[in-house]
Amino acid sequence: MRTAPTILHLDMDAFFASAEQASKPSLRGKAVVVGGLGPRGVVATASYEARVFGVHSAMPMAQARRLAPNAAYLVPRFGLYREVSEQVMGLLGALSPLVEPLSLDEAFVDLEAGDTAWDEASARLTGAKLRADIRAVTGLTGSVGLAASKMLAKIASEQAKPDGLVLIEPGTERALLGPMSVRTLPGVGPATGDHLRRAGITTVDEIAEAGEDELVRLLGKAHGHALYAMALAHDERPVVAERETKSVSVEDTYDVDIHDRVRVGLEVQRLADRCVQRLRGAGLSGRTIVLKVRRYDFSTLTRSETLRGPTDDPAVVREAAARLLDAVDTTGGVRLLGVGVSGLADYTQEDLFAQAQAAAGELAAQEHAAEHAEEAAAEESAVEQLPAAERRWPAGHDVRHTEYGHGWVQGSGLGRVTVRFETPYSEPGRVRTFRTDDPQLELADPLPLVERRPEDPGPGVADPGPQMSSVPASRPKSRSGGGAGGATSRP
């Protein structure tokens, strides 16, 4: 284990909700909830103002609305979030070649590998500079944890939230971890936590006191060994710049259960095609086709079939998914469907027998679909009859009006759409209502959260300016022991 706090963990604060607040001046300082707004939607992110009411990620949206009825409920804008994430990852990449993204808003960085930190003082300075650069480039805040291991750096960033920096000094880890809940450690979820609690183990200190043999008896060899090591603050996991993709998959959750077997089959075929598009986009192929079905009673079934060799042929994947569906009882309704491909390779081994089977299956599917053309047409007509406002004007998404300029959708229904006209750089704007078919109103692309001037560097590039020049460009010839203080400190 390294002896300097040179592993950095960055976690953007309430990322989706913060991006929406930065984009919409009228929502700053107010409760904002981002997620699926349908009957079965879930919360993706809640702003800190919404968390005061008990709203949190992965909560059913209906429950969130009961807890915070006056919050702003918005549909995610993943295009904007990806753009901001790329800017943040660009800043991290400037610090080190070893950046391990965990999601759009979270990553580990090995500062020592980039020679940007080698002791406590340089690590703290680098973390502070990163936070300032993120705010300058994106207008958002991120919390930074610094420690000698990935586990401790992540714990530190959790302590730093929101908008802070915490550094855990080497040598203080055991004292810091001891009184913490067992749920603090990676891999200890609700089930493992309950199992340990029943054995009288609720804190990290109690894990260490129980001993490795007892943990192995309770949790099994692999989990017991790993958990005991983490309780002693031992974590040798390196920062890995590129994670090997293990599978590619797509899935859809439906607002209303699908009962028609033909419709279920058509949905599986559509998901198979989307999955292959992702597969080809990544330059991959795979041997194992996986079908996921969540039924009306929330029971989830997973079925898989392994082919003779890797494929990225949509006909082969569709046929395999259809065979898997044949073995699943969908009586009573289906609420979620998914198709995935695993056993990935960067080449395709043609399987002529499978190809022939798929071609035959595709022909049969076409004949089957023709028999039910009237049903499909009726279904499509029903979709077309949905209120245009619900389909065309998602809450929170950007619009542009030829007279009033840029704005965002506050809500829609009954043939009307309400728009607040403001930009990330303006004062809170006025609200106006239009017909959903108003020819002057159209969907628009999101605006950057920070207004770019002609002389500004491009996205993802931070101009530190003279006030940021205090971070050393290279390691000093003689190292000092770093700063003073306790196990954690905040700037």
Side-chain angles (χ1 to χ4, degrees):
M1 184 169 172
R2 65 183 70 198
T3 58
T6 54
I7 300 292
L8 181 148
H9 181 261
L10 170 72
D11 198 349
M12 299 295 289
D13 299 320
F15 181 46
F16 295 176
S18 293
E20 296 298 344
Q21 289 175 318
S23 178
K24 302 170 173 63
S26 58
L27 296 184
R28 292 170 191 168
K30 297 181 180 179
V32 174
V33 180
V34 180
L37 303 189
R40 290 180 181 155
V42 297
V43 175
T45 308
S47 70
Y48 286 97
E49 295 86 355
R51 295 180 193 187
V52 171
F53 299 98
V55 180
H56 59 76
S57 299
M59 171 182 284
M61 192 61 77
Q63 183 181 355
R65 288 185 184 276
R66 289 194 295 271
L67 293 172
N70 296 320
Y73 289 86
L74 308 176
V75 176
R77 295 186 295 163
F78 288 108
L80 171 65
Y81 310 150
R82 279 192 289 270
E83 180 181 343
V84 176
S85 176
E86 288 171 3
Q87 293 175 319
V88 173
M89 295 303 165
L91 294 172
L92 298 182
L95 297 178
S96 172
L98 292 183
V99 176
E100 183 178 335
L102 304 179
S103 61
L104 288 176
D105 61 340
E106 185 180 4
F108 287 110
V109 185
D110 188 331
L111 299 178
E112 191 172 39
D115 209 29
T116 49
W118 46 90
D119 59 12
E120 181 186 336
S122 57
R124 192 186 300 279
L125 196 57
T126 299
K129 178 182 183 300
L130 173 65
R131 292 180 55 230
D133 285 351
I134 288 173
R135 186 185 287 273
V137 172
T138 70
L140 305 181
T141 64
S143 295
V144 168
L146 293 156
S149 71
K150 290 168 70 172
M151 177 187 74
L152 292 165
K154 184 172 176 59
I155 290 172
S157 70
E158 286 296 320
Q159 290 188 327
K161 282 185 166 294
D163 190 21
L165 181 151
V166 167
L167 182 146
I168 299 176
E169 298 177 11
T172 66
E173 299 94 345
R174 289 285 303 277
L176 176 72
L177 284 175
M180 290 184 174
S181 165
V182 295
R183 292 289 304 276
T184 304
L185 301 180
V188 181
T192 302
D194 287 344
H195 194 53
L196 291 170
R197 180 181 52 79
R198 288 193 294 271
I201 300 172
T202 59
T203 68
V204 176
D205 261 345
E206 289 168 345
I207 289 179
E209 291 168 3
E212 189 169 14
D213 291 343
E214 176 65 7
L215 290 171
V216 168
R217 186 186 69 80
L218 288 170
L219 305 174
K221 188 173 181 180
H223 201 178
H225 284 314
L227 200 58
Y228 182 70
M230 287 188 291
L232 300 181
H234 296 161
D235 179 18
E236 300 295 337
R237 294 174 300 159
V239 175
V240 181
E242 293 184 5
R243 289 180 172 271
E244 182 181 357
T245 302
K246 295 183 178 180
S247 64
V248 173
S249 63
V250 296
E251 63 181 44
D252 277 343
T253 301
Y254 304 99
D255 289 342
V256 179
D257 290 346
I258 302 176
H259 293 84
D260 179 22
R261 183 75 177 187
V262 175
R263 167 79 186 281
V264 172
L266 292 173
E267 288 294 318
V268 168
Q269 300 293 293
R270 183 178 61 81
L271 290 166
D273 287 341
R274 281 173 53 196
C275 183
V276 169
Q277 287 177 359
R278 289 192 180 184
L279 198 67
R280 288 181 167 180
L284 298 169
S285 60
R287 298 184 65 227
T288 301
I289 314 303
V290 181
L291 175 71
K292 178 179 177 182
V293 179
R294 181 166 297 149
R295 298 187 291 190
Y296 70 98
D297 59 357
F298 285 92
S299 61
T300 302
L301 304 177
T302 303
R303 300 288 184 266
S304 63
E305 175 181 321
T306 299
L307 307 175
R308 296 180 180 181
T311 185
D312 64 353
D313 188 301
V316 174
V317 176
R318 284 198 301 268
E319 174 67 11
R323 286 195 298 272
L324 294 169
L325 180 63
D326 287 341
V328 176
D329 179 13
T330 60
T331 305
V334 170
R335 60 190 302 122
L336 177 147
L337 290 168
V339 174
V341 178
S342 60
L344 302 183
D346 56 2
Y347 66 94
T348 302
Q349 177 181 315
E350 298 295 344
D351 184 336
L352 298 180
F353 178 73
Q355 299 272 9
Q357 275 192 320
E362 190 171 20
L363 179 60
Q366 290 172 355
E367 293 172 352
H368 192 58
E371 293 174 5
H372 298 274
E374 290 186 10
E375 294 178 36
E379 203 167 271
E380 184 176 347
S381 175
V383 171
E384 288 300 321
Q385 290 171 17
L386 287 171
E390 297 299 326
R391 290 185 287 109
R392 294 179 53 203
W393 308 108
H397 280 227
D398 298 81
V399 294
R400 177 167 289 281
H401 191 277
T402 53
E403 180 179 353
Y404 301 110
H406 191 94
W408 58 277
V409 177
Q410 276 202 328
S412 60
L414 302 177
R416 296 286 187 272
V417 54
T418 300
V419 177
R420 184 180 288 274
F421 289 96
E422 60 186 6
T423 73
Y425 338 117
S426 72
E427 297 295 320
R430 292 189 59 183
V431 175
R432 298 180 184 275
T433 300
F434 307 89
R435 291 176 55 89
T436 56
D437 58 357
D438 190 321
Q440 293 185 292
L441 188 68
E442 61 182 3
L443 290 172
D445 292 329
L447 297 175
L449 300 184
V450 174
E451 191 169 15
R452 298 192 188 117
R453 298 176 178 83
E455 66 274 13
D456 285 347
V461 179
D463 180 6
Q467 73 276 16
M468 296 297 178
S469 61
S470 55
V471 175
S474 60
R475 189 188 308 257
K477 292 182 180 179
S478 64
R479 305 185 194 178
S480 59
T488 62
S489 61
R490 296 176 184 266

